[in-house]
Amino acid sequence: MSKQGTVIQSTGKWYKVSVDGEIIECRLPGKFRLNQEEVTNPIAVGDHVDVEKQDDHTGSIVKIHERTNYIPRQATHGRRGDQILASNIDLAWSVVSVRKPRFKTGFIDRFLVTCEAYEVPAGILVNKTDLANKTDLKFLEDLEHLYSKLGYHFLKTSIYDPQSLEQLQEKIHRKISVFIGPSGVGKTSILNALEPDLKLSTSKISDFSGKGTHTTTFARLVPIQGDGFIVDTPGIRELGLVDIDPSELSLYYPEMLEPRKSCKFYDCTHSHEPDCGVVRAFENGEIHPERYNSYLNILESLEQ
């Protein structure tokens, strides 16, 4: 008899599935892999699956339930297909750091486009605010105004600032959240600060490159006080967009939804066409320059 559970960790070959409070090491039959050749991982952390327990106390996954949502990205290192970072998410956080490593808004905007396209509520978490100088703090203030106005959650955190962690705790209360961001931004350190008993391993930033090194190697679902869960994912430097047509990109920029209705051409890319509603809104100061520039950069990458 099979029982339903939730995938809490994926290592590529084995899956840890929580079934009625018991953690079962499970395999995935080959037929599922053959049926989902377009993805590198047929099962993702957060998936609800049915498991049949074997005589050796391991399990076999016999059914993958339909997902409410998921976050994909293009597979890296020359692999074919797409990679699903997490599924069945209540709130996804783009985790970046003020310094060590310094973040770029381009990563944040690609993340937000993905969340808009795949119907995942999104937020931005800027960590390591204890390293911020006055210029950084003014920049973060402007950034918070920009993204909050667009309807996104925006938090500034430091593991040395209990109040900021309390604010995060309130946001993730009774939710399944996911942390996505580059290596070294402090995703795992935040988890350790929220749940000291976890004692998850972390790494220092490289003095040479200023970038983080991978500590989390596999995605995992971590329980947090207050009946919440966080999917801790391996650090990623790039977030390749999946199945987004250049003509549809502006649909995933909330500030462009209304202006695009007044474009002269129905297939307007909002980059060079005459009588474009989006360009007009940008020129009138209704669309932030950083956001319009990020749109053009993403558009160019999709067209290529």
Side-chain angles (χ1 to χ4, degrees):
M1 179 183 296
S2 63
K3 289 187 176 182
Q4 184 174 328
T6 301
V7 178
I8 64 170
Q9 185 170 325
S10 166
T11 62
K13 294 182 179 180
W14 287 90
Y15 301 89
K16 289 186 178 181
V17 182
S18 176
V19 181
D20 295 335
E22 179 185 3
I23 308 301
I24 303 176
E25 296 275 354
C26 296
R27 287 185 181 274
L28 180 69
K31 65 178 181 179
F32 289 103
R33 297 184 182 276
L34 292 174
N35 290 340
Q36 299 194 45
E37 292 181 341
E38 71 277 10
V39 296
T40 60
N41 56 330
I43 292 182
V45 169
D47 275 343
H48 302 306
V49 297
D50 288 351
V51 172
E52 285 185 355
K53 203 166 184 180
Q54 308 299 308
D55 292 338
D56 61 357
H57 302 293
T58 64
S60 177
I61 295 172
V62 296
K63 180 179 179 180
I64 306 171
H65 291 266
E66 185 176 354
R67 299 173 176 122
T68 58
N69 59 31
Y70 61 96
I71 299 178
R73 73 156 175 167
Q74 291 178 349
T76 57
H77 307 300
R79 290 179 294 180
R80 297 179 61 183
D82 303 321
Q83 178 186 14
I84 299 174
L85 296 174
S87 68
N88 301 317
I89 300 300
D90 295 318
L91 185 56
W93 293 95
S94 172
V95 184
V96 295
S97 56
V98 177
R99 292 174 178 269
K100 297 184 179 182
R102 182 182 293 277
F103 74 90
K104 297 179 181 179
T105 55
F107 180 91
I108 293 175
D109 288 332
R110 280 181 170 269
F111 168 85
L112 295 177
V113 165
T114 296
C115 289
E116 291 283 352
Y118 288 87
E119 300 182 347
V120 181
I124 300 157
L125 195 160
V126 183
N127 193 33
K128 301 187 181 180
T129 55
D130 53 287
L131 301 179
N133 57 33
K134 290 183 179 180
T135 302
D136 295 329
L137 293 175
K138 178 60 171 68
F139 174 67
L140 290 180
E141 184 180 331
D142 294 341
L143 211 64
E144 181 173 11
H145 177 74
L146 167 62
Y147 287 109
S148 297
K149 188 177 178 180
L150 294 174
Y152 298 113
H153 300 280
F154 193 98
L155 285 180
K156 294 170 286 189
T157 59
S158 167
I159 60 172
Y160 306 108
D161 180 3
Q163 185 175 357
S164 71
L165 297 177
E166 289 176 7
Q167 292 173 344
L168 174 59
Q169 188 88 54
E170 292 174 3
K171 294 289 186 183
I172 63 177
H173 180 63
R174 293 186 177 179
K175 288 184 174 66
I176 295 180
S177 306
V178 60
F179 282 175
I180 296 175
S183 298
V185 297
K187 301 186 297 294
T188 305
S189 295
I190 293 173
L191 287 175
N192 283 333
L194 293 173
E195 289 288 345
D197 291 341
L198 290 174
K199 298 179 180 178
L200 302 173
S201 61
T202 59
S203 295
K204 294 182 178 179
I205 301 298
S206 167
D207 291 333
F208 176 74
S209 67
K211 297 179 180 179
T213 55
H214 295 290
T215 302
T216 302
T217 54
F218 300 106
R220 55 193 167 191
L221 187 65
V222 179
I224 299 296
Q225 291 181 13
D227 300 326
F229 294 87
I230 292 178
V231 181
D232 185 23
T233 61
I236 56 177
R237 290 196 174 97
E238 297 179 3
L239 187 61
L241 302 182
V242 175
D243 293 334
I244 295 179
D245 190 90
S247 64
E248 299 174 344
L249 179 60
S250 61
L251 292 172
Y252 309 125
Y253 276 73
E255 65 269 50
M256 295 184 182
L257 291 177
E258 194 61 33
R260 73 192 299 275
K261 294 178 182 178
S262 60
C263 291
K264 180 177 181 180
F265 301 102
Y266 75 93
D267 58 350
C268 184
T269 64
H270 322 301
S271 60
H272 63 278
E273 297 87 348
D275 200 12
C276 169
V278 171
V279 171
R280 189 160 49 246
F282 163 65
E283 291 174 343
N284 291 338
E286 298 167 23
I287 296 175
H288 195 282
E290 287 282 348
R291 287 281 287 175
Y292 183 65
N293 287 334
S294 84
Y295 168 81
L296 293 179
N297 289 334
I298 295 174
L299 179 67
E300 182 180 5
S301 69
L302 293 176
E303 290 175 336
Q304 290 175 349

